[in-house]
Amino acid sequence: MRRTAIERLLPAAYQRAAGPGSVLGALLDVMEALHAPDEAVLADVDALFGPYRTPDGFVAYLTRWVAMDHVVSAPRADAPLPLPLGRLRDLVAHGALLARWRGTPYGMRTALELATGVTGFVLDEPAERPFHLVVRVPPAAADRLGLVTRIVEAEKPAAVTVEVVAAAADPPADPPPPADPTPPPADPTPPPAVPTPPPAEPTPPPAEPVSSPAGSVRAVGRAHVPPPPPHDPPEEPS
């Protein structure tokens, strides 16, 4: 609070005694200086809860706020984070979307892609083992099986057993056959002249993209996730 605002809260007798150079006036100046740091924080308090504006040390706390605390395996303040801060910020930004689709293949795949930055996760339910899920991890995320397992265990339905399998990398392609070192003899006859084609018509600039309807693309902040699968609306009660 400003000195004048604090002074207006005092009784009239104290306000008359808080003139320039008085002891009470100096005390009010000290009170204003003590309030200044807290007021600066409150003036920009919304930045603490913005996923892409909050300080780095607050990101892990927000991750637990949106029920993604299983991603941050070590809750100690001095422990290193299991994934880069940018991906944690993406998880916080999409926390409401992930909570809405938790327990579904779309929700699990989206959480895995946001946390690892890798696409290509395959979810299979073998016909001979109902209520059992096999998660095939692409080779690019094979070094993060611990993180993937924690996310899968938290995102799967409670009655479903799960198995995390690292997919095998594709074998390297065969090298091309060596080129013939002997070049073919040059043809002494010059090729016939080719008429020069007329200049092409200038390509018109691309049309402005038509904005998609609201909700068709799920994108928040810096990360882009595919839209959820379509589903039939609930039937109206008769």
Side-chain angles (χ1 to χ4, degrees), residues 10-238:
L10 299 177
Y14 285 88
Q15 294 183 27
R16 291 192 296 268
S22 63
V23 176
L24 184 55
L27 180 61
L28 294 180
D29 292 335
V30 173
M31 293 179 67
E32 178 182 353
L34 292 176
H35 289 167
D38 296 336
E39 290 186 351
V41 173
L42 293 177
D44 200 26
V45 70
D46 58 314
L48 293 176
F49 308 104
Y52 298 107
R53 298 174 58 199
T54 189
D56 293 347
F58 211 64
V59 177
Y61 178 80
L62 292 183
T63 306
R64 301 184 187 97
W65 246 32
V66 296
M68 295 297 292
D69 49 319
H70 49 277
V71 176
V72 187
S73 57
R76 301 196 325 270
D78 58 343
L81 295 176
L83 64 160
L85 278 174
R87 292 180 191 150
L88 278 181
R89 295 179 187 272
D90 291 338
L91 286 172
V92 174
H94 293 82
L97 175 69
L98 296 175
R100 178 184 177 186
W101 290 92
R102 180 160 292 165
T104 65
Y106 171 77
M108 181 182 295
R109 189 178 296 108
T110 301
L112 291 172
E113 292 177 354
L114 287 173
T116 61
V118 177
T119 59
F121 290 89
V122 179
L123 311 181
D124 293 331
E125 184 178 358
E128 67 277 4
R129 295 189 63 183
F131 303 104
H132 180 75
L133 182 65
V134 178
V135 180
R136 306 190 185 279
V137 183
D143 57 339
R144 281 157 282 181
L145 288 181
L147 173 65
V148 171
T149 302
R150 290 199 306 272
I151 295 176
V152 169
E153 291 288 347
E155 297 291 330
K156 73 176 183 66
V160 174
T161 57
V162 70
E163 179 182 357
V164 179
V165 179
D170 296 332
D174 295 334
D180 189 1
T182 305
D187 189 1
T189 305
V194 179
T196 304
E201 293 293 332
T203 304
E208 292 292 333
V210 180
S211 59
S212 58
S216 61
V217 176
R218 300 283 180 168
V220 179
R222 293 164 175 78
H224 174 83
V225 298
H231 61 282
D232 297 330
E235 296 182 359
E236 295 292 335
S238 58

